[in-house]
Amino acid sequence: MVDERNILITGGCGFIGRRLIARLNESGGWRITVLDNESTAYRGELDGLELARFVNGDVRDPAAIEEAIADQGSLVHLAAQTGVIPSIENPDDDFDINVRGGYHLLRAAARHGVGSFVFASSAAPIGEHEPPLHEDVPCRPVAPYGASKLAMEGYCSAFRQSFGLNTVVLRFSNCFGPGSSHKGSVVALFIRKILAGEEITIYGDGEQTRDFIYVDDLVEGLETALLKADSADAGLYQLSTGIETSVNVLVTALTALAAESGITVKTRLQPSRTGEIIRNYSRNDKFVNAFDYRPATPLEPALKQTWDYFVDLRDH
Ligand SMILES: NC(=O)c1ccc[n+]([C@@H]2O[C@H](COP(=O)([O-])OP(=O)(O)OC[C@H]3O[C@@H](n4cnc5c(N)ncnc54)[C@H](O)[C@@H]3O)[C@@H](O)[C@H]2O)c1
């Protein structure tokens, strides 16, 4: 019997998944099942967190999905091939995991009567566009990763209309925070390099911008969306800060944190990379209006939490 307290999280071992599980544990009342093939993060990362069940399996495998999905009230689909460059190097894998795997999950969710299906998308479907990005910008993905996320956005819409599955697509902006040691995103990369005494590379004039969302804000937004998914009127939302932060601002903040630890940051300036998106941030008013939640942790304290996490990892 479907029970609304039962939730399946695919990719639950990963950076965002772990933090989401911790958040749902704190809130209480959720019975969490994780489906993860442990390809980029591991079950051991979930030590200390409360789970009803762990299914070691692949979203490309319908049998593994069947094992995990019975009686689930909701589903958060995080498992993915998450890299832009790997998607260009191996578009077949990107398609297989992100589109075929996601499609199998949607099929199974519709068949099993799952109440809400939340899909982790990104700004990548949009491709290059003058910011701020928002839900009505036409999508022209520039890499297979963006195309595979866009394909899943399409299937989420179709399953909503054709089969009554309550799908919610959340386009996350650049997420950072504790738990990101295996990630190649700029915040994780810079902190790893600074702590290793290596140079960090700044391309161009460092004025390129991103929309950095703190992982605790992102998972709070995710939980809020889960709880209100029934009343959401349209299925696609940017989950972002709406704030444009340059690489130079990021480096200044990290330099201050490093100085507190007696570390001098070494930078190397390189010409701009061909194809790099220069300005990138997303409006979040549709999400804020629908779910009455606004990501609000300021950059500095969030970076401090992230810095402390990496220092702790280095020292233990
Ligand atoms: N981190 C970000 O800044 C960001 C931004 C936009 C969107 N997203 C999306 O959010 C989701 C979670 O990202 P993350 O940063 O936590 O990534 P992550 O790599 O830390 O976690 C992904 C998890 O999925 C699992 N996984 C991968 N392929 C699988 C498969 N075939 N079957 C089962 N499990 C599989 C991995 O083992 C890992 O535990 C992804 O869908 C990603 O595309 C992340």
Side-chain angles (χ1 to χ4, degrees):
M1 265 271 293
V2 169
D3 183 326
E4 64 182 23
R5 290 165 304 170
N6 291 342
I7 180 167
L8 173 60
I9 302 177
T10 72
C13 296
F15 165 43
I16 293 170
R18 256 178 267 154
R19 213 65 181 181
L20 175 64
I21 294 168
R23 162 102 205 164
L24 299 182
N25 279 176
E26 249 172 61
S27 303
W30 296 96
R31 275 199 301 266
I32 303 167
T33 298
V34 166
L35 171 64
D36 199 299
N37 68 354
E38 302 190 72
S39 56
T40 59
Y42 309 97
R43 185 184 182 163
E45 318 267 11
L46 303 179
D47 284 353
L49 296 175
E50 200 182 309
L51 286 189
R53 227 150 43 95
F54 182 87
V55 178
N56 183 328
D58 198 299
V59 293
R60 289 166 289 185
D61 175 8
I65 292 174
E66 279 305 305
E67 191 187 335
I69 210 165
D71 305 337
Q72 301 296 342
S74 43
L75 195 161
V76 178
H77 180 33
L78 298 171
Q81 186 302 107
T82 65
V84 171
I85 304 297
S87 83
I88 296 169
E89 289 166 355
N90 193 341
D92 289 356
D93 268 5
D94 182 78
F95 174 83
D96 233 25
I97 298 170
N98 291 3
V99 185
R100 195 162 66 83
Y103 174 80
H104 282 316
L105 268 174
L106 281 167
R107 287 277 285 157
R111 214 173 36 242
H112 282 269
V114 169
S116 314
F117 185 110
V118 178
F119 171 58
S121 191
S122 103
I126 294 175
E128 290 182 46
H129 194 278
E130 187 67 22
L133 306 180
H134 56 83
E135 292 81 359
D136 297 328
V137 168
C139 289
R140 293 189 193 87
V142 294
Y145 173 69
S148 64
K149 290 290 186 189
L150 180 59
M152 267 302 285
E153 290 185 358
Y155 276 113
C156 284
S157 168
F159 271 69
R160 193 180 171 94
Q161 305 292 331
S162 299
F163 306 113
L165 180 65
N166 187 20
T167 54
V168 178
V169 173
L170 300 179
R171 287 182 175 163
F172 303 160
S173 62
N174 295 67
C175 186
F176 73 100
S180 57
S181 62
H182 62 292
K183 301 297 292 184
S185 50
V186 62
V187 174
L189 184 73
F190 278 5
I191 298 180
R192 269 200 306 269
K193 284 194 177 279
I194 294 169
L195 289 175
E198 295 170 15
E199 287 176 336
I200 56 172
T201 304
I202 297 173
Y203 294 97
D205 62 3
E207 283 304 304
Q208 58 273 55
T209 59
R210 295 292 179 267
D211 185 323
F212 295 112
I213 185 167
Y214 186 48
V215 66
D216 285 358
D217 285 357
L218 188 140
V219 300
E220 190 173 346
L222 245 171
E223 187 187 20
T224 309
L226 265 172
L227 292 170
K228 296 187 179 168
D230 282 348
S231 57
D233 58 0
L236 173 72
Y237 303 87
Q238 308 278 158
L239 177 46
S240 64
T241 66
I243 297 169
E244 190 175 18
T245 302
S246 71
V247 168
N248 288 334
V249 165
L250 178 65
V251 171
T252 303
L254 291 177
T255 302
L257 286 167
E260 285 171 22
S261 307
I263 300 171
T264 305
V265 174
K266 293 176 268 184
T267 52
R268 188 160 66 105
L269 303 179
Q270 289 282 297
S272 302
R273 287 176 294 189
T274 324
E276 182 179 12
I277 291 174
I278 301 300
R279 289 182 61 214
N280 188 329
Y281 74 102
S282 304
R283 267 171 38 191
N284 62 10
D285 43 309
K286 186 177 173 195
F287 185 92
V288 173
N289 290 336
F291 299 113
D292 196 22
Y293 174 75
R294 181 188 299 279
T297 307
L299 183 70
E300 279 78 9
L303 276 180
K304 167 86 175 125
Q305 294 293 323
T306 313
W307 175 270
D308 289 347
Y309 155 80
F310 276 93
V311 169
D312 206 48
L313 272 187
R314 181 197 62 182
D315 296 343
H316 291 97

